[in-house]
Amino acid sequence: MRKPCCDKQDTNKGAWSKQEDQKLIEYIRKHGEGCWRKLPQAAGLLRCGKSCRLRWINYLRPDLKRGNFTEDEEDLIIKLHALLGNRWSLIAGRLPGRTDNEVKNYWNSHLRKKLINRGIDPNNHRVSHSFPRLQDSQNSASAASSGFKTQPKVEQHLAKPNADYEQVSDAASSLENDPCGLLPDLNLDVTVTVPASSSIANVEEKRKDNGSNLLRGLDLNPPSTLLLFQ
DNA sequence: AACGTGAGCAACCGCGGCTTA
DNA sequence: ATAAGCCGCGGTTGCTCACGT
């Protein structure tokens, strides 16, 4: 049998130092990503491989954008969350240079509140009486101050008060259980194909057999050609 | 100026599925 | 065939900083 992943008593925890970052960057620059278990020892780091992977993916990767999310990115996150639910890695996969952790944090700290302020339940993207909407004047003011050019299409279509649409467990299931066509105007223009062996959908289907029905057979194109909504 | 509070974010934890010995 | 390690994910925690009193 294999050795345990790492000796926890011999590993550092908490914030990474610049020296540690540098070691990790140097090592991956030379050897590339992969084999996270061996990496810490090979790179001279007293860290768990898991921790190294997280640090690299979320912070050190050279292709990371960092900085504020654009309005387009915000809109896309909201729409993808309505479609996919809390599948942050999938959502981040549609946002070049963004990580699942970053998207998740941004959702929890900013976007959730925005939706709540508009009387939309962020869990299912439906108008909810338990999230009292601001008056229109306040709403537009808050939208303007919070960076939205106009009301996103999602809200325009979802902000129809109708108690029948409430109380659904999560966004993904709400879409699946949408007999009334709550989201008719989202125009989910996705290509339905037999998944290619290399497609994201295929990989995801292999990984997450539970609850990935939404993705089954969806050929998720690269971000630049994504046509989820119009 | 000092303290309290809340927001934002980096990092950790635990779990599930896959891989491998 | 099976048990245990590996990997990646989502949820949660805890630290830091900005802001208000």
Side-chain angles (χ1 to χ4, degrees):
Chain A
M1 289 302 167
R2 300 178 176 198
K3 294 174 188 171
C5 171
C6 55
D7 286 331
K8 297 214 169 183
Q9 68 264 25
D10 292 336
T11 57
N12 290 341
K13 286 171 80 174
W16 280 64
S17 68
K18 292 202 170 177
Q19 288 84 0
E20 286 178 311
D21 282 346
Q22 207 51 46
K23 281 182 182 179
L24 183 55
I25 292 168
E26 291 284 330
Y27 182 86
I28 293 179
R29 198 173 284 157
K30 282 182 189 165
H31 303 92
E33 291 182 46
C35 205
W36 296 107
R37 184 179 169 277
K38 291 179 192 167
L39 189 148
Q41 194 178 10
L45 288 162
L46 292 174
R47 290 275 179 177
C48 170
K50 219 170 168 178
S51 180
C52 294
R53 177 185 158 271
L54 211 63
R55 182 65 179 171
W56 174 253
I57 287 175
N58 287 332
Y59 203 81
L60 299 176
R61 256 169 48 198
D63 58 327
L64 289 180
K65 252 188 200 170
R66 314 211 52 82
N68 295 336
F69 281 73
T70 65
E71 293 167 25
D72 286 345
E73 285 176 316
E74 285 189 355
D75 285 351
L76 187 55
I77 291 169
I78 291 169
K79 289 166 182 173
L80 287 169
H81 187 269
L83 178 67
L84 299 167
N86 293 356
R87 295 186 176 104
W88 304 116
S89 60
L90 281 177
I91 294 172
R94 321 315 304 166
L95 294 158
R98 301 296 187 184
T99 70
D100 54 355
N101 206 35
E102 200 178 7
V103 171
K104 177 174 61 180
N105 283 334
Y106 192 71
W107 172 266
N108 287 328
S109 58
H110 294 92
L111 297 180
R112 266 178 63 87
K113 288 171 196 166
K114 278 188 182 178
L115 292 184
I116 289 170
N117 280 343
R118 294 169 185 180
I120 297 172
D121 185 342
N123 295 319
N124 56 29
H125 294 258
R126 295 180 177 189
V127 175
S128 172
H129 296 154
S130 53
F131 299 113
R133 300 184 67 191
L134 299 172
Q135 295 300 317
D136 283 350
S137 58
Q138 292 174 298
N139 192 15
S140 56
S142 100
S145 67
S146 61
F148 271 109
K149 287 176 287 198
T150 58
Q151 277 195 327
K153 284 179 188 174
V154 166
E155 183 189 352
Q156 289 172 14
H157 299 310
L158 296 182
K160 301 170 187 172
N162 187 335
D164 290 343
Y165 297 148
E166 296 177 12
Q167 308 304 322
V168 178
S169 61
D170 60 40
S173 65
S174 77
L175 282 163
E176 288 176 290
N177 305 322
D178 186 31
C180 304
L182 173 69
L183 306 170
D185 298 332
L186 278 177
N187 191 9
L188 306 178
D189 186 6
V190 294
T191 308
V192 179
T193 64
V194 177
S197 60
S198 59
S199 76
I200 295 169
N202 195 46
V203 172
E204 283 299 323
E205 185 173 335
K206 276 176 67 181
R207 277 192 43 78
K208 298 206 176 289
D209 201 32
N210 56 333
S212 65
N213 289 342
L214 267 173
L215 300 173
R216 196 150 291 151
L218 298 187
D219 185 11
L220 294 176
N221 299 316
S224 59
T225 57
L226 179 67
L227 289 171
L228 278 173
F229 309 92
Q230 287 182 332

